[in-house]
mmCIF file with all atom_site columns, all heavy atoms in Angstrom:
data_model
loop_
_atom_site.group_PDB
_atom_site.id
_atom_site.type_symbol
_atom_site.label_atom_id
_atom_site.label_alt_id
_atom_site.label_comp_id
_atom_site.label_asym_id
_atom_site.label_entity_id
_atom_site.label_seq_id
_atom_site.pdbx_PDB_ins_code
_atom_site.Cartn_x
_atom_site.Cartn_y
_atom_site.Cartn_z
_atom_site.occupancy
_atom_site.B_iso_or_equiv
_atom_site.pdbx_formal_charge
_atom_site.auth_seq_id
_atom_site.auth_comp_id
_atom_site.auth_asym_id
_atom_site.auth_atom_id
_atom_site.pdbx_PDB_model_num
ATOM 1  N N   . SER B 1 85 ? -66.616 35.210 38.206 1.00 0.00 ? 681 SER B N   1
ATOM 2  C CA  . SER B 1 85 ? -66.601 35.059 36.690 1.00 0.00 ? 681 SER B CA  1
ATOM 3  C C   . SER B 1 85 ? -67.441 33.776 36.451 1.00 0.00 ? 681 SER B C   1
ATOM 4  O O   . SER B 1 85 ? -67.205 32.722 36.930 1.00 0.00 ? 681 SER B O   1
ATOM 5  C CB  . SER B 1 85 ? -65.165 35.080 36.196 1.00 0.00 ? 681 SER B CB  1
ATOM 6  O OG  . SER B 1 85 ? -64.533 36.214 36.441 1.00 0.00 ? 681 SER B OG  1
ATOM 7  N N   . ALA B 1 86 ? -68.481 34.055 35.689 1.00 0.00 ? 682 ALA B N   1
ATOM 8  C CA  . ALA B 1 86 ? -69.419 33.015 35.344 1.00 0.00 ? 682 ALA B CA  1
ATOM 9  C C   . ALA B 1 86 ? -70.591 33.515 34.467 1.00 0.00 ? 682 ALA B C   1
ATOM 10 O O   . ALA B 1 86 ? -70.535 34.695 34.009 1.00 0.00 ? 682 ALA B O   1
ATOM 11 C CB  . ALA B 1 86 ? -70.023 32.377 36.594 1.00 0.00 ? 682 ALA B CB  1
ATOM 12 N N   . VAL B 1 87 ? -71.366 32.586 33.948 1.00 0.00 ? 683 VAL B N   1
ATOM 13 C CA  . VAL B 1 87 ? -72.663 33.095 33.265 1.00 0.00 ? 683 VAL B CA  1
ATOM 14 C C   . VAL B 1 87 ? -73.784 33.111 34.364 1.00 0.00 ? 683 VAL B C   1
ATOM 15 O O   . VAL B 1 87 ? -73.902 32.254 35.145 1.00 0.00 ? 683 VAL B O   1
ATOM 16 C CB  . VAL B 1 87 ? -72.988 32.184 32.161 1.00 0.00 ? 683 VAL B CB  1
ATOM 17 C CG1 . VAL B 1 87 ? -74.295 32.513 31.471 1.00 0.00 ? 683 VAL B CG1 1
ATOM 18 C CG2 . VAL B 1 87 ? -71.982 31.892 31.221 1.00 0.00 ? 683 VAL B CG2 1
ATOM 19 N N   . TYR B 1 88 ? -74.399 34.209 34.357 1.00 0.00 ? 684 TYR B N   1
ATOM 20 C CA  . TYR B 1 88 ? -75.583 34.474 35.326 1.00 0.00 ? 684 TYR B CA  1
ATOM 21 C C   . TYR B 1 88 ? -76.892 34.465 34.528 1.00 0.00 ? 684 TYR B C   1
ATOM 22 O O   . TYR B 1 88 ? -77.045 35.129 33.507 1.00 0.00 ? 684 TYR B O   1
ATOM 23 C CB  . TYR B 1 88 ? -75.314 35.838 36.049 1.00 0.00 ? 684 TYR B CB  1
ATOM 24 C CG  . TYR B 1 88 ? -74.211 35.765 37.013 1.00 0.00 ? 684 TYR B CG  1
ATOM 25 C CD1 . TYR B 1 88 ? -72.953 35.958 36.503 1.00 0.00 ? 684 TYR B CD1 1
ATOM 26 C CD2 . TYR B 1 88 ? -74.437 35.469 38.432 1.00 0.00 ? 684 TYR B CD2 1
ATOM 27 C CE1 . TYR B 1 88 ? -71.845 35.856 37.414 1.00 0.00 ? 684 TYR B CE1 1
ATOM 28 C CE2 . TYR B 1 88 ? -73.400 35.393 39.186 1.00 0.00 ? 684 TYR B CE2 1
ATOM 29 C CZ  . TYR B 1 88 ? -72.110 35.492 38.703 1.00 0.00 ? 684 TYR B CZ  1
ATOM 30 O OH  . TYR B 1 88 ? -71.073 35.535 39.655 1.00 0.00 ? 684 TYR B OH  1
ATOM 31 N N   . PHE B 1 89 ? -77.839 33.653 35.146 1.00 0.00 ? 685 PHE B N   1
ATOM 32 C CA  . PHE B 1 89 ? -79.071 33.609 34.418 1.00 0.00 ? 685 PHE B CA  1
ATOM 33 C C   . PHE B 1 89 ? -80.172 33.942 35.402 1.00 0.00 ? 685 PHE B C   1
ATOM 34 O O   . PHE B 1 89 ? -80.000 33.805 36.718 1.00 0.00 ? 685 PHE B O   1
ATOM 35 C CB  . PHE B 1 89 ? -79.459 32.058 34.176 1.00 0.00 ? 685 PHE B CB  1
ATOM 36 C CG  . PHE B 1 89 ? -78.537 31.473 33.097 1.00 0.00 ? 685 PHE B CG  1
ATOM 37 C CD1 . PHE B 1 89 ? -77.525 30.736 33.397 1.00 0.00 ? 685 PHE B CD1 1
ATOM 38 C CD2 . PHE B 1 89 ? -78.945 31.636 31.821 1.00 0.00 ? 685 PHE B CD2 1
ATOM 39 C CE1 . PHE B 1 89 ? -76.776 30.068 32.488 1.00 0.00 ? 685 PHE B CE1 1
ATOM 40 C CE2 . PHE B 1 89 ? -78.298 31.093 30.779 1.00 0.00 ? 685 PHE B CE2 1
ATOM 41 C CZ  . PHE B 1 89 ? -77.037 30.231 31.143 1.00 0.00 ? 685 PHE B CZ  1
ATOM 42 N N   . CYS B 1 90 ? -81.237 34.722 34.897 1.00 0.00 ? 686 CYS B N   1
ATOM 43 C CA  . CYS B 1 90 ? -82.423 34.955 35.784 1.00 0.00 ? 686 CYS B CA  1
ATOM 44 C C   . CYS B 1 90 ? -83.391 33.954 35.299 1.00 0.00 ? 686 CYS B C   1
ATOM 45 O O   . CYS B 1 90 ? -83.313 33.464 34.174 1.00 0.00 ? 686 CYS B O   1
ATOM 46 C CB  . CYS B 1 90 ? -82.967 36.440 35.626 1.00 0.00 ? 686 CYS B CB  1
ATOM 47 S SG  . CYS B 1 90 ? -83.590 36.854 34.039 1.00 0.00 ? 686 CYS B SG  1
ATOM 48 N N   . ALA B 1 91 ? -84.251 33.578 36.240 1.00 0.00 ? 687 ALA B N   1
ATOM 49 C CA  . ALA B 1 91 ? -85.336 32.670 35.961 1.00 0.00 ? 687 ALA B CA  1
ATOM 50 C C   . ALA B 1 91 ? -86.700 33.067 36.696 1.00 0.00 ? 687 ALA B C   1
ATOM 51 O O   . ALA B 1 91 ? -86.571 33.736 37.647 1.00 0.00 ? 687 ALA B O   1
ATOM 52 C CB  . ALA B 1 91 ? -85.006 31.225 36.329 1.00 0.00 ? 687 ALA B CB  1
#
Side-chain angles (χ1 to χ4, degrees):
Chain B
S681 294
V683 181
Y684 289 81
F685 295 97
C686 66

